[in-house]
Amino acid sequence: MDLISILTDGGGRAEETRHYECRACGENLSADSAACPQCDGDVALYTF
């Protein structure tokens, strides 16, 4: 991957794993969650 492709496509890779969880309570969330259903906390996205 060269620098230009990182800048133009955000550096994403097809094999990335994404995990969504609540920033406040740590509840695992689905990708379409706008907020945590348990505590109304913000959604954190971790990419591995």
Side-chain angles (χ1 to χ4, degrees):
M1 182 178 290
D2 62 358
L3 182 58
I4 297 302
S5 65
I6 293 172
L7 294 174
T8 57
D9 73 3
R13 296 184 314 248
E15 66 271 5
E16 287 180 342
T17 300
R18 293 181 178 183
H19 174 73
Y20 299 85
E21 86 178 26
C22 176
R23 290 186 189 274
C25 72
E27 179 79 18
N28 291 333
L29 303 172
S30 63
D32 63 344
S33 297
C36 177
Q38 301 297 322
C39 71
D40 203 33
D42 292 332
V43 177
L45 166 61
Y46 299 101
T47 305
F48 304 97

